[in-house]
CSV table of all heavy atoms in Angstrom, one decimal:
chain,number,residue,atom,x,y,z
A,1,ILE,N,2.1,-2.4,5.3
A,1,ILE,CA,1.4,-3.5,5.8
A,1,ILE,C,2.0,-3.9,7.2
A,1,ILE,O,1.3,-4.2,8.1
A,1,ILE,CB,1.5,-4.7,4.9
A,1,ILE,CG1,0.7,-4.4,3.6
A,1,ILE,CG2,1.0,-6.0,5.5
A,1,ILE,CD1,0.8,-5.5,2.5
A,2,GLY,N,3.3,-3.9,7.3
A,2,GLY,CA,4.0,-4.2,8.6
A,2,GLY,C,3.5,-3.3,9.7
A,2,GLY,O,3.2,-3.7,10.8
A,3,ILE,N,3.5,-2.0,9.4
A,3,ILE,CA,3.0,-1.0,10.4
A,3,ILE,C,1.5,-1.3,10.7
A,3,ILE,O,1.1,-1.1,11.9
A,3,ILE,CB,3.3,0.4,10.0
A,3,ILE,CG1,4.8,0.6,9.7
A,3,ILE,CG2,2.7,1.4,11.0
A,3,ILE,CD1,5.6,0.5,11.0
A,4,GLY,N,0.7,-1.7,9.7
A,4,GLY,CA,-0.7,-2.0,10.0
A,4,GLY,C,-0.8,-3.1,11.0
A,4,GLY,O,-1.6,-3.1,11.9
A,5,TYR,N,0.0,-4.2,10.8
A,5,TYR,CA,-0.1,-5.3,11.7
A,5,TYR,C,0.5,-5.0,13.1
A,5,TYR,O,0.0,-5.5,14.1
A,5,TYR,CB,0.7,-6.5,11.1
A,5,TYR,CG,-0.1,-7.3,10.1
A,5,TYR,CD1,0.3,-7.4,8.8
A,5,TYR,CD2,-1.3,-7.9,10.5
A,5,TYR,CE1,-0.4,-8.1,7.8
A,5,TYR,CE2,-2.1,-8.6,9.5
A,5,TYR,CZ,-1.6,-8.7,8.2
A,5,TYR,OH,-2.4,-9.4,7.3
A,6,GLN,N,1.4,-4.1,13.1
A,6,GLN,CA,1.9,-3.6,14.4
A,6,GLN,C,0.8,-2.9,15.2
A,6,GLN,O,0.6,-3.2,16.4
A,6,GLN,CB,3.1,-2.6,14.2
A,6,GLN,CG,3.7,-2.1,15.5
A,6,GLN,CD,4.7,-1.0,15.4
A,6,GLN,OE1,4.7,-0.3,14.3
A,6,GLN,NE2,5.4,-0.7,16.4
A,7,LYS,N,0.0,-2.1,14.5
A,7,LYS,CA,-1.1,-1.4,15.1
A,7,LYS,C,-2.2,-2.4,15.6
A,7,LYS,O,-2.8,-2.2,16.7
A,7,LYS,CB,-1.8,-0.4,14.2
A,7,LYS,CG,-1.0,0.9,14.1
A,7,LYS,CD,-1.7,1.9,13.2
A,7,LYS,CE,-1.0,3.2,13.2
A,7,LYS,NZ,-1.2,4.0,14.4
A,8,LEU,N,-2.3,-3.6,14.9
A,8,LEU,CA,-3.2,-4.6,15.4
A,8,LEU,C,-2.6,-5.6,16.4
A,8,LEU,O,-3.2,-6.5,16.8
A,8,LEU,CB,-3.7,-5.4,14.1
A,8,LEU,CG,-4.6,-4.7,13.2
A,8,LEU,CD1,-4.9,-5.7,12.0
A,8,LEU,CD2,-5.9,-4.3,13.8
A,9,LYS,N,-1.3,-5.3,16.7
A,9,LYS,CA,-0.6,-6.1,17.7
A,9,LYS,C,-0.4,-7.5,17.2
A,9,LYS,O,-0.2,-8.5,18.1
A,9,LYS,CB,-1.2,-6.1,19.1
A,9,LYS,CG,-1.4,-4.7,19.7
A,9,LYS,CD,-1.9,-4.7,21.1
A,9,LYS,CE,-2.1,-3.2,21.6
A,9,LYS,NZ,-1.0,-2.3,21.4
A,10,ASP,N,-0.4,-7.7,15.9
A,10,ASP,CA,0.0,-9.0,15.3
A,10,ASP,C,1.5,-9.0,15.0
A,10,ASP,O,1.9,-8.7,13.9
A,10,ASP,CB,-0.8,-9.2,14.0
A,10,ASP,CG,-0.5,-10.6,13.4
A,10,ASP,OD1,0.5,-11.3,13.8
A,10,ASP,OD2,-1.3,-11.0,12.5
A,11,ILE,N,2.3,-9.3,16.1
A,11,ILE,CA,3.7,-9.0,16.0
A,11,ILE,C,4.4,-9.9,15.0
A,11,ILE,O,5.3,-9.4,14.2
A,11,ILE,CB,4.4,-9.3,17.4
A,11,ILE,CG1,3.7,-8.4,18.5
A,11,ILE,CG2,5.9,-9.0,17.4
A,11,ILE,CD1,3.7,-6.9,18.1
A,12,ASP,N,4.0,-11.2,14.9
A,12,ASP,CA,4.7,-12.1,14.0
A,12,ASP,C,4.5,-11.6,12.5
A,12,ASP,O,5.4,-11.6,11.7
A,12,ASP,CB,4.1,-13.5,14.1
A,12,ASP,CG,4.6,-14.2,15.4
A,12,ASP,OD1,5.6,-13.7,16.0
A,12,ASP,OD2,4.0,-15.2,15.8
A,13,SER,N,3.3,-11.2,12.2
A,13,SER,CA,3.0,-10.7,10.8
A,13,SER,C,3.7,-9.4,10.6
A,13,SER,O,4.3,-9.2,9.5
A,13,SER,CB,1.5,-10.5,10.6
A,13,SER,OG,0.8,-11.8,10.6
A,14,ALA,N,3.7,-8.5,11.6
A,14,ALA,CA,4.4,-7.2,11.4
A,14,ALA,C,5.9,-7.4,11.2
A,14,ALA,O,6.5,-6.8,10.3
A,14,ALA,CB,4.2,-6.4,12.7
A,15,LEU,N,6.5,-8.3,12.0
A,15,LEU,CA,8.0,-8.5,11.8
A,15,LEU,C,8.3,-9.1,10.4
A,15,LEU,O,9.2,-8.7,9.8
A,15,LEU,CB,8.5,-9.5,12.9
A,15,LEU,CG,8.5,-9.0,14.3
A,15,LEU,CD1,8.9,-10.1,15.3
A,15,LEU,CD2,9.5,-7.8,14.4
A,16,SER,N,7.4,-10.0,10.0
A,16,SER,CA,7.6,-10.7,8.7
A,16,SER,C,7.6,-9.6,7.6
A,16,SER,O,8.5,-9.6,6.7
A,16,SER,CB,6.6,-11.7,8.5
A,16,SER,OG,6.7,-12.3,7.2
A,17,TYR,N,6.6,-8.8,7.5
A,17,TYR,CA,6.5,-7.8,6.5
A,17,TYR,C,7.6,-6.7,6.6
A,17,TYR,O,8.1,-6.3,5.5
A,17,TYR,CB,5.1,-7.2,6.5
A,17,TYR,CG,4.1,-8.0,5.8
A,17,TYR,CD1,3.2,-8.8,6.5
A,17,TYR,CD2,4.0,-8.0,4.4
A,17,TYR,CE1,2.2,-9.6,5.8
A,17,TYR,CE2,3.1,-8.7,3.7
A,17,TYR,CZ,2.2,-9.5,4.4
A,17,TYR,OH,1.3,-10.3,3.8
A,18,LEU,N,7.9,-6.3,7.8
A,18,LEU,CA,8.9,-5.3,7.9
A,18,LEU,C,10.3,-5.8,7.5
A,18,LEU,O,11.1,-5.0,6.8
A,18,LEU,CB,9.0,-4.8,9.3
A,18,LEU,CG,7.8,-3.9,9.8
A,18,LEU,CD1,7.8,-3.6,11.3
A,18,LEU,CD2,7.6,-2.6,9.0
A,19,LEU,N,10.6,-7.0,7.8
A,19,LEU,CA,11.9,-7.6,7.4
A,19,LEU,C,11.9,-7.7,5.8
A,19,LEU,O,13.0,-7.5,5.2
A,19,LEU,CB,12.2,-8.9,8.0
A,19,LEU,CG,12.6,-8.8,9.5
A,19,LEU,CD1,12.6,-10.2,10.1
A,19,LEU,CD2,14.0,-8.2,9.7
A,20,GLN,N,10.8,-8.1,5.3
A,20,GLN,CA,10.8,-8.2,3.8
A,20,GLN,C,10.9,-6.9,3.2
A,20,GLN,O,11.6,-6.7,2.2
A,20,GLN,CB,9.4,-8.9,3.4
A,20,GLN,CG,9.3,-9.2,1.9
A,20,GLN,CD,10.4,-10.3,1.5
A,20,GLN,OE1,10.6,-11.2,2.2
A,20,GLN,NE2,11.0,-10.1,0.4
A,21,ALA,N,10.3,-5.9,3.8
A,21,ALA,CA,10.5,-4.5,3.2
A,21,ALA,C,11.9,-4.0,3.3
A,21,ALA,O,12.4,-3.4,2.3
A,21,ALA,CB,9.6,-3.5,4.0
A,22,LEU,N,12.6,-4.4,4.4
A,22,LEU,CA,14.0,-4.0,4.5
A,22,LEU,C,14.9,-4.7,3.5
A,22,LEU,O,16.1,-4.2,3.3
A,22,LEU,CB,14.5,-4.2,5.9
A,22,LEU,CG,13.9,-3.2,7.0
A,22,LEU,CD1,14.1,-3.7,8.4
A,22,LEU,CD2,14.5,-1.8,6.8
A,23,ARG,N,14.5,-5.8,2.9
A,23,ARG,CA,15.3,-6.4,1.9
A,23,ARG,C,15.2,-5.7,0.6
A,23,ARG,O,16.0,-6.0,-0.3
A,23,ARG,CB,14.8,-7.9,1.8
A,23,ARG,CG,15.1,-8.7,3.0
A,23,ARG,CD,14.7,-10.2,2.8
A,23,ARG,NE,14.8,-10.9,4.1
A,23,ARG,CZ,13.8,-11.4,4.8
A,23,ARG,NH1,12.6,-11.2,4.4
A,23,ARG,NH2,14.0,-12.0,5.9
A,24,GLY,N,14.2,-4.9,0.4
A,24,GLY,CA,14.0,-4.2,-0.8
A,24,GLY,C,14.6,-2.8,-0.9
A,24,GLY,O,15.5,-2.5,-0.1
A,25,GLU,N,14.0,-2.0,-1.7
A,25,GLU,CA,14.5,-0.6,-1.9
A,25,GLU,C,13.6,0.4,-1.2
A,25,GLU,O,12.6,0.9,-1.7
A,25,GLU,CB,14.6,-0.3,-3.4
A,25,GLU,CG,15.6,-1.1,-4.2
A,25,GLU,CD,17.0,-0.8,-3.8
A,25,GLU,OE1,17.4,0.4,-3.7
A,25,GLU,OE2,17.8,-1.7,-3.5
A,26,LEU,N,13.9,0.6,0.1
A,26,LEU,CA,13.2,1.6,0.9
A,26,LEU,C,13.9,2.9,1.0
A,26,LEU,O,15.1,2.9,1.3
A,26,LEU,CB,13.0,1.0,2.3
A,26,LEU,CG,11.8,0.1,2.6
A,26,LEU,CD1,11.8,-0.2,4.1
A,26,LEU,CD2,10.5,0.8,2.2
A,27,PRO,N,13.2,4.0,0.9
A,27,PRO,CA,13.9,5.3,1.3
A,27,PRO,C,14.4,5.2,2.7
A,27,PRO,O,13.8,4.5,3.6
A,27,PRO,CB,12.7,6.3,1.1
A,27,PRO,CG,11.8,5.7,0.1
A,27,PRO,CD,11.9,4.2,0.4
A,28,ALA,N,15.4,5.9,3.0
A,28,ALA,CA,16.1,5.8,4.3
A,28,ALA,C,15.2,6.1,5.5
A,28,ALA,O,15.2,5.5,6.5
A,28,ALA,CB,17.3,6.7,4.4
A,29,HIS,N,14.2,7.1,5.3
A,29,HIS,CA,13.4,7.5,6.4
A,29,HIS,C,12.4,6.3,6.7
A,29,HIS,O,12.0,6.1,7.9
A,29,HIS,CB,12.7,8.8,6.2
A,29,HIS,CG,11.6,8.8,5.2
A,29,HIS,ND1,11.7,8.8,3.9
A,29,HIS,CD2,10.2,8.7,5.4
A,29,HIS,CE1,10.6,8.8,3.3
A,29,HIS,NE2,9.6,8.7,4.2
A,30,LEU,N,12.0,5.6,5.7
A,30,LEU,CA,11.1,4.4,6.0
A,30,LEU,C,11.9,3.3,6.6
A,30,LEU,O,11.4,2.6,7.5
A,30,LEU,CB,10.4,4.0,4.7
A,30,LEU,CG,9.4,5.0,4.0
A,30,LEU,CD1,8.7,4.4,2.9
A,30,LEU,CD2,8.4,5.5,5.1
A,31,ALA,N,13.1,3.1,6.1
A,31,ALA,CA,13.9,2.0,6.7
A,31,ALA,C,14.2,2.3,8.2
A,31,ALA,O,14.2,1.4,9.0
A,31,ALA,CB,15.3,1.9,5.9
């Protein structure tokens, strides 16, 4: 979702979802 918002140039939403993703269990290449 974060990358999707990045493509739409909705930076605030992108940052919010990406930071939330990084708090969880992401494979290293996605992190």
Side-chain angles (χ1 to χ4, degrees):
I1 292 173
I3 298 300
Y5 279 119
Q6 180 188 16
K7 283 182 173 286
L8 290 176
K9 302 189 186 307
D10 182 345
I11 303 305
D12 289 343
S13 295
L15 291 173
S16 176
Y17 276 101
L18 291 173
L19 286 170
Q20 189 61 40
L22 286 165
R23 294 183 186 110
E25 293 294 312
L26 271 183
H29 74 280
L30 295 187

